[in-house]
Amino acid sequence: MVAGMAAAPDLSGIVAATPAQRRAAVDAAYLPPLLPALVALTGDLTLLRDEFRPDPDLIREEQGGLTAEQQDGIRTLAAGVLDELAAGTRAPAPLDPDAYAPLLAHVVGAPIPDDYLPLVREELGGGADGVDLRTPDWTVAEVAPERRLRVVIVGAGMSGILAAHRFVQLGAEVTVFEKNDDVGGTWLENTYPGCRVDVSNHFYSYSFVQKPDWPLHFSSRDVLLDYFRQCADDFGIRDRIRFRTEVTSATWDDGDGVWRLAIRGEAGDAELEADVVISAVGQLNQPRYPDVPGRDTFAGPSFHSARWDPTVDLDGRRLVVIGTGASAAQFIPVVADRAASTTIVQRTAPWFIPTPDYHEEVPEPLRWLFEHVPGANQWHRFWLFWRSAEGLLPYAAVDTDWDGGERSVSAANEEIRALLQMYLDVVFAERPDLLEQCTPDYPPLAKRFIRDNGAWPATLQRDDVDLVSGTVAAIRPDGVELADGTHLPAEVIIYGTGFRASEFLTPMTVTGRDGVDLHEQWAGDARAHLGVAMPNFPNFFALYGPNTNIVVNGSIIFFTEAEVHLVTELCRLLLTEDKRSIEVRADAHDTYNAEIDERNLAMAWGASSVSSWYKAASGRVAQNWPGSLLEFWQRTREPERDAYILR
Ligand code: NAP
């Protein structure tokens, strides 16, 4: 059953609204998913008129490239359907999700493989009315009534909250350790001004806790923190979380088939036993500072974007910011307003993707549509899933016959480059110097796009802002020195220099079978099977582990839901086969990683030599998943039994 598509969909909001309100809602709507949502609600496939189908090559555009005439036609048709539903002259007749293929084709503009149907059913199915098609279909008590399943989860951010919820649903004994004093992970720790999500919230949310009333398309950090806090409350997991407590080490005891954990918290040090350990510590929380001399010698205040120091008064100060990544691009426009001068050190120019609604509130009529037209929010989510992630993947694939060097990796990639370049040409039309500095010299999608609503170019063109291209060579007591000898005087330095992302699970010590240390096994080049399991580490699973990141701007929550499902299924195997331990086979793990490495080299982020946090020190892409979201979902549905050793 699909959320909002229940046997008797709730039409009370539609009935209560005035015709003008309904019309305002369709006027505010994103149109590619609107008619499919109404077809899903009414069962009336005649609404899917070919003349209203978006052009699949223009799906990136705000209204999927629909002409003004097409848009008018869709709005009139949709408003008419809502009016008929309100008047009772049209009855809802929810379409069977098995018949969604033409609806999906309409949103996307062209047919997509039927393989997507079960995935979409899950993605659309949860949310607004509390339906959760991803609830585990088993419990510990059912499959192993004699067994306990003691699960320790490390971290209470987005991944840890979800894992705790699922394992509580399974009836496991769940304990979560969280070093901070609240849930929220990255959204708790990053307090820098301007911090917000760069994936639309209607996609960046748990599939089963969709929120039709997001206030902004891209919520600020506070709103997201509230969302995750609320989820933790609603899932009833808070009492399972031990805050201000770190797991310092985890050691596998092969004799007893358990993990022995060392805990450090307010009450001092302690030890604990667990059957299963799940690391949900995130990738982006250990600040990376430039590896240059003199950082400690700086005379003024300095801090990293993820360790924002609100006590430092930036008003009227001479500021140097190092970095032009996703975090810097968010806080620089804000701090530049306060500082006397802002000098930005740029090592690599980012590609910006124009996003006019980046800071905009969701207009009230659109919120009404999402809240009151059953399914509208979910179909909008599918549209975002396609246009911001799945549908963009082919643009990152390397065409070996394409001779684009560091410019582009295929004709399609070159097409994206032209669009992004056009944006730069427009916003820097008056500043050829900035245009040159801000034009990246690597293919689009080799690094994550940064969203921009015009704030970035406007900031760079301020009289009190300087963009300096270069690499930091040293920090001096009075400023920053670049490799070419340029000295940048500073009263305050802010490091927008990212994270030690490839140092997974730092600083926890994890010791597996036969005393193998996880970080030694990885030797600076972390690998896992499906991002989750490592050989020699029985009953130990990672979330947001190696090669589970996405470059095209999809939602990491999608991956986490898939990973948590896989981990629950691995535990099911453990219990149903009545074994003490489950561990990925080394050969299965190695074959998988060889495949992932090869495929990453065939994507823009692996083929380009540009520096990025996706690569480990060895140059191997340790972060990214090279395939589609569909493929990751499919491969995490059921454990490949042969890939695991159960003892
Ligand atoms: P980042 O993307 O790694 O950016 C770090 C910046 O610092 C880059 O411009 C980098 O240059 C520069 N840098 C590093 N060391 C340097 C040095 N020694 N000298 C000069 N420049 C140096 O880090 P981030 O901005 O914190 O973002 C990391 C990831 O977090 C993002 O990709 C995204 O996935 C996530 N994030 C998301 C959001 C959001 O959703 N809103 C916000 C922030 C972050 P190079 O490019 O040359 O390496």
Side-chain angles (χ1 to χ4, degrees):
M1 191 169 66
V2 169
M5 300 285 134
D10 178 7
L11 301 184
S12 57
I14 299 177
V15 173
T18 64
Q21 279 174 313
R22 294 192 286 268
R23 177 69 207 198
V26 299
D27 283 349
Y30 292 96
L31 298 175
L34 182 60
L35 291 176
L38 293 177
V39 174
L41 177 63
T42 62
D44 181 359
L45 285 155
T46 67
L47 299 174
L48 296 183
R49 299 190 193 159
D50 275 348
E51 72 212 77
F52 296 148
R53 189 186 286 262
D55 178 340
D57 293 331
L58 299 178
I59 191 85
R60 299 176 305 272
E61 296 192 6
E62 184 160 304
Q63 289 291 8
L66 293 161
T67 64
E69 201 184 333
Q70 287 174 308
Q71 294 185 28
D72 281 349
I74 294 171
R75 290 190 176 107
T76 303
L77 184 58
V81 172
L82 292 182
D83 287 346
E84 287 164 17
L85 287 167
T89 53
R90 185 190 272 270
L95 198 67
D96 185 330
D98 287 342
Y100 276 175
L103 284 64
L104 301 177
H106 191 97
V107 177
V108 166
I112 60 172
D114 281 349
D115 293 358
Y116 277 96
L117 275 174
L119 162 61
V120 168
R121 187 181 187 140
E122 268 188 27
E123 273 289 307
L124 297 189
D129 58 2
V131 175
D132 177 4
L133 296 177
R134 289 178 170 155
T135 307
D137 60 358
W138 61 281
T139 64
V140 175
E142 282 163 10
V143 304
E146 308 298 317
R147 294 265 304 255
R148 298 170 73 187
L149 187 66
R150 295 165 301 170
V151 177
V152 161
I153 297 165
V154 190
M158 176 276 289
S159 301
I161 291 171
L162 178 65
H165 177 46
R166 291 302 187 213
F167 276 90
V168 167
Q169 286 179 318
L170 289 175
E173 296 169 38
V174 175
T175 310
V176 184
F177 292 99
E178 169 53 59
K179 65 180 166 27
N180 296 320
D181 53 15
D182 201 352
V183 300
T186 197
W187 299 113
L188 179 71
E189 290 177 6
N190 280 278
T191 58
Y192 62 79
C195 182
R196 66 177 66 233
V197 65
D198 62 2
V199 177
S200 173
N201 260 144
H202 297 87
F203 185 23
Y204 185 85
S205 40
Y206 298 123
S207 64
F208 56 99
V209 195
Q210 294 181 36
K211 224 174 105 65
D213 60 344
W214 284 110
L216 281 88
H217 296 283
F218 300 88
S219 292
S220 62
R221 170 262 178 193
D222 293 348
V223 173
L224 285 159
L225 184 56
D226 281 348
Y227 172 79
F228 288 109
R229 281 176 170 153
Q230 189 65 51
C231 286
D233 291 343
D234 293 347
F235 300 163
I237 57 162
R238 267 192 194 268
D239 60 353
R240 315 285 181 125
I241 308 175
R242 287 168 62 180
F243 292 105
R244 294 171 291 280
T245 309
E246 286 187 58
V247 175
T248 54
S249 71
T251 307
W252 174 250
D253 179 334
D254 209 25
D256 291 346
V258 294
W259 281 96
R260 302 205 179 281
L261 306 171
I263 312 297
R264 178 168 304 149
E266 284 170 324
D269 293 350
E271 291 193 350
L272 187 90
E273 209 175 272
D275 301 307
V276 168
V277 177
I278 300 172
S279 164
V281 298
Q283 276 184 23
L284 301 169
N285 52 22
Q286 303 289 328
R288 175 187 296 285
Y289 295 92
D291 187 15
V292 295
R295 202 156 56 81
D296 295 344
T297 67
F298 183 61
S302 68
F303 51 87
H304 187 275
S305 61
R307 301 285 182 272
W308 198 265
D309 185 346
T311 65
V312 175
D313 184 7
L314 299 175
D315 292 342
R317 311 289 286 276
R318 189 186 295 181
L319 184 63
V320 169
V321 179
I322 305 173
T324 52
S327 304
Q330 291 185 336
F331 70 75
I332 288 174
V334 184
V335 298
D337 250 352
R338 296 173 51 190
S341 69
T342 305
T343 304
I344 306 162
V345 181
Q346 172 179 271
R347 188 166 66 181
T348 311
W351 281 111
F352 284 94
I353 185 159
T355 309
D357 59 6
Y358 192 23
H359 293 180
E360 299 303 317
E361 288 185 4
V362 179
E364 210 288 312
L366 186 55
R367 248 189 280 175
W368 180 89
L369 184 87
F370 291 152
E371 283 186 77
H372 296 294
V373 176
N377 187 63
Q378 286 91 335
W379 282 91
H380 179 66
R381 180 180 173 99
F382 170 70
W383 185 58
L384 294 169
F385 163 88
W386 198 267
R387 76 190 288 256
S388 65
E390 204 73 336
L392 278 185
L393 196 64
Y395 294 89
V398 173
D399 174 355
T400 48
D401 292 330
W402 182 259
D403 186 16
E406 279 292 341
R407 195 186 147 79
S408 55
V409 296
S410 68
N413 188 255
E414 178 69 29
E415 201 185 300
I416 295 274
R417 183 182 183 104
L419 287 172
L420 300 180
Q421 182 66 55
M422 204 189 305
Y423 180 63
L424 294 175
D425 290 346
V426 169
V427 296
F428 293 122
E430 308 294 317
R431 291 287 302 272
D433 56 324
L434 284 176
L435 176 61
E436 191 184 336
Q437 267 183 299
C438 293
T439 299
D441 55 3
Y442 58 89
L445 295 164
K447 287 161 87 94
R448 194 172 165 93
F449 290 132
I450 296 185
R451 292 196 179 276
D452 181 51
N453 62 347
W456 184 250
T459 302
L460 295 195
Q461 290 176 72
R462 292 172 63 122
D463 292 340
D464 54 2
V465 172
D466 274 322
L467 180 70
V468 179
S469 297
T471 300
V472 174
I475 306 295
R476 302 293 180 207
D478 60 346
V480 173
E481 194 174 296
L482 300 186
D484 67 1
T486 308
H487 180 75
L488 306 172
E491 290 172 303
V492 180
I493 298 176
I494 306 179
Y495 295 93
T497 42
F499 301 92
R500 287 153 50 203
S502 47
E503 296 170 33
F504 290 86
L505 272 59
T506 313
M508 189 164 50
T509 304
V510 186
T511 311
R513 190 183 297 287
D514 301 327
V516 177
D517 177 276
L518 182 59
H519 290 99
E520 282 176 19
Q521 175 166 305
W522 278 340
D525 198 357
R527 293 163 201 260
H529 187 250
L530 289 164
V532 158
M534 285 73 64
N536 297 318
F537 293 85
N539 301 5
F540 186 94
F541 307 109
L543 301 177
Y544 198 13
N547 295 107
T548 58
N549 196 67
I550 25 178
V551 182
V552 286
N553 291 32
S555 163
I556 201 65
I557 297 179
F558 178 93
F559 272 76
T560 302
E561 288 195 37
E563 291 154 18
V564 170
H565 173 81
L566 176 61
V567 174
T568 61
E569 289 300 302
L570 291 169
C571 290
R572 167 146 59 175
L573 263 185
L574 184 74
L575 297 177
T576 51
E577 297 196 13
D578 197 22
K579 303 288 188 195
R580 297 298 325 168
S581 73
I582 182 166
E583 177 186 341
V584 69
R585 305 181 74 93
D587 55 351
H589 166 273
D590 293 351
T591 305
Y592 169 83
N593 276 283
E595 175 208 327
I596 294 302
D597 288 353
E598 193 183 325
R599 291 175 59 189
N600 266 327
L601 289 174
M603 302 305 282
W605 50 84
S608 169
S609 60
V610 71
S611 75
S612 77
W613 60 268
Y614 304 145
K615 296 174 185 164
S618 66
R620 171 181 175 268
V621 176
Q623 254 76 19
N624 298 336
W625 167 249
S628 63
L629 299 183
L630 173 68
E631 183 190 339
F632 193 77
W633 180 81
Q634 287 173 328
R635 291 177 79 162
T636 48
R637 286 297 72 208
E638 275 183 36
E640 263 172 74
R641 177 63 186 81
D642 293 347
Y644 295 90
I645 306 163
L646 283 108
R647 295 186 168 99

